[in-house]
Amino acid sequence: MSSALGCERTVPKGRHELSGRARWNEHDRLSIVLGWLLLAVAISTAGSARGQTLPWETWRDLHQLPVLHTEHQALLRSSHCPDGCRFDRHSEDDWRYLYVDGEEGTIFEESGPGAVTRIWMTTGFAGVSTPLPADVRLRVYLDGSEEPVIDVPLPALFDGSTPPFEAPLVGNRLTSSGGNFSYVPIPYRTGCRITLVGADEIRLWYQINFHRVPRADGITTFTGTEDLSPLTTLLSTQGEDPWPPDSGTVATGSLTLEPGIEQMLRDAEGHGSITALELELPPGDWAQVEMRLHFDDQPTVAMRLEEFFAIGRGGPKPTCSLLIGAGGSGRLYSYFPMPFFKSHRIALVHHGKTSTAMSYRIRVDADAPPPNSGLFGAVLSRREPTDLGVDFPVATLAGHGKLVGSFLELGATNPGLRDYLEGDERLFLDHSPHPMVYGTGVEDYFNGGFYFDMGPFSSALHGAPYTELEVDGLPYTASYRLMLAEGQNFESRLQAGLESGPTNNVSMVARSVTWFYLQPSPRLHLWDRLDLGREEDRRRHRYLVEGPHAFQLLDALFASEPPVAASGTGVYRPLGDARFDLSAHPSSTTFRLRRRLDAGIPGQRATVRVDGEIAGRFPAGYRNEDRRWRDVAIDLDAAPESGELAITVVAEPGPPEGESSTFTAFHYELWANGAAAIFADGFETGDLRAWSSSP
């Protein structure tokens, strides 16, 4: 079996070639070789002060994709509707901005180190995407500079004309079926602000993925002159083996799959990583053959080939991504790194009625994977039809892990209706009471727009194999996305769901596959909590606030669907200091501070000090007067003795002038690593055997 599967690279109908330096020769083999040389140099020099690449730089070395970094969050800022309405925010005075300062409306702001890893936008009318308006400008300010490092007309960020925002790292609505996307990483050491000029009255939807980290070790602030050729090279290998030629030992073979019998492709002891898994068998059997993967004696995958390889019902543009898909002639491929520390096992079971011949190619890298790697897994979920009033359950995982990709197939239960694409994705992280990641719609999550109005397409990190495939008179849509840089991480638990239609009011047929890495034990536990509405809690934690303040009762809703009501008392105070103590285990070395606040008040920036030293910053929050409860968490750059943290939260002013100076807090929680959780709730034990079950 050939390792170069050669699947067709495709774009939607109506594609126009990207302009300027964005043109590149997809079949230039010499450039690929030179690119790998550049990538090898980048790998040798890209490590942070702690000896590994930054969390968003997995593209420098695919062996870093399974690594579960500590002390960071991968989050999303989006234009989702604040109060459960049908459409997301797109009209004048609808809170799309964090704040307006002069001619600029700020849509994103972070006040510590991190990186923006994805920007998606779309605009249009009457269900049709249109070009982004050239009279709107996008500006990016980094590290407190008053001069933007990026200041371009909005289309120039996505059309390939602005280095380093070039294909295949960016694409417009013609190459991404209604959406505009950028995967250019924008790192910063002390903060980032993204603004729009001239966008007050246009219909504009956006998503911004970003990482929040406690310290700037290894981070070089974005300048616009970065050499991103290794990333360009990697994404240009769509449909081909992206690993260097010497990345492991290859085993090939063939066998006849007999009905109802589990047949082994590999069963071996020792450590290493699978870097290539290729199968060749008739496409008619993809729905009949189940693949089973075991790593370290744990079952982590058990699903049909058409599901695991993101094929679904087929369609005109079969999945042909960087790491998974179909290559033609009945060939399927996965280049996900799959690490193991003790053993690995690959088996197939044919659930059809007749035998079938197949061949395989498997490559194993015998080097030990990084010790903080998660085990590779995939989970299948399906509903026929979905339940009204609740989210379609995409995945529920316990432990420490991260999502790295999704395949989603949705179908209508009524002819001609495609409202199933209106649902927002919602991710609850680490027992959060509301979604910490809240999207704007199905096609938006997959970098398209307006129901993929440019038709099916395929690219390295995302695509739509079919957008209106008719089955028994009903339309079906399928899409896929890989998350190299913005993979969603979690420390103890993840619950991912998808709104069933605009307001959970549409019954639909749904099938999803989620690829992820997981360590079954949670990394952080809830160790201490200060409830500011309880006098005994304030006294026990030695809470002291400077200046005038008030205790106020808030009856409000969380930003979830259906909304959850809660009541609590918190402190409303002006700018200044509040001091208190929180405790973790004496052996704890990493700390996350989670604060509950009143989101009806904008701004609320603050610096957090531990033992007098700056340990983190609470960023400005967007206002939501309808769903006022919100939690925000930051990782602390602190090393206290014996797990005791003397904390000072310094509420600070921010732009623009006249913004509210009220700072709110209802409780503070300290999450940390350590020997055991003193607030364990029964959900913090991972079970790898549950990975393969459909929720």
Side-chain angles (χ1 to χ4, degrees), residues 406 473 623:
S406 301
R623 185 175 86 253

Side-chain angles (χ1 to χ4, degrees), residues 74-79 96 98 106-110 115-121 138-140 157-158 182 186 188 192-196 205-211 425 437-440 444 447 481 486:
L75 300 170
L76 176 73
R77 161 76 172 147
S78 80
S79 58
R96 87 178 62 182
L98 290 168
T106 295
I107 60 173
F108 176 82
E109 181 179 286
E110 278 287 294
V116 170
T117 55
R118 169 181 172 260
I119 300 175
W120 167 89
M121 290 184 176
L138 181 139
R139 295 172 180 168
V140 178
L157 194 74
F158 307 104
S182 168
I186 306 175
Y188 42 88
C192 174
R193 185 164 63 97
I194 300 177
T195 70
L196 297 174
W205 294 262
Y206 60 82
Q207 296 187 5
I208 302 173
N209 287 87
F210 66 100
H211 286 256
E425 70 276 14
V437 173
Y438 202 132
T440 58
D444 310 351
N447 286 325
R481 177 177 162 197
E486 71 276 10

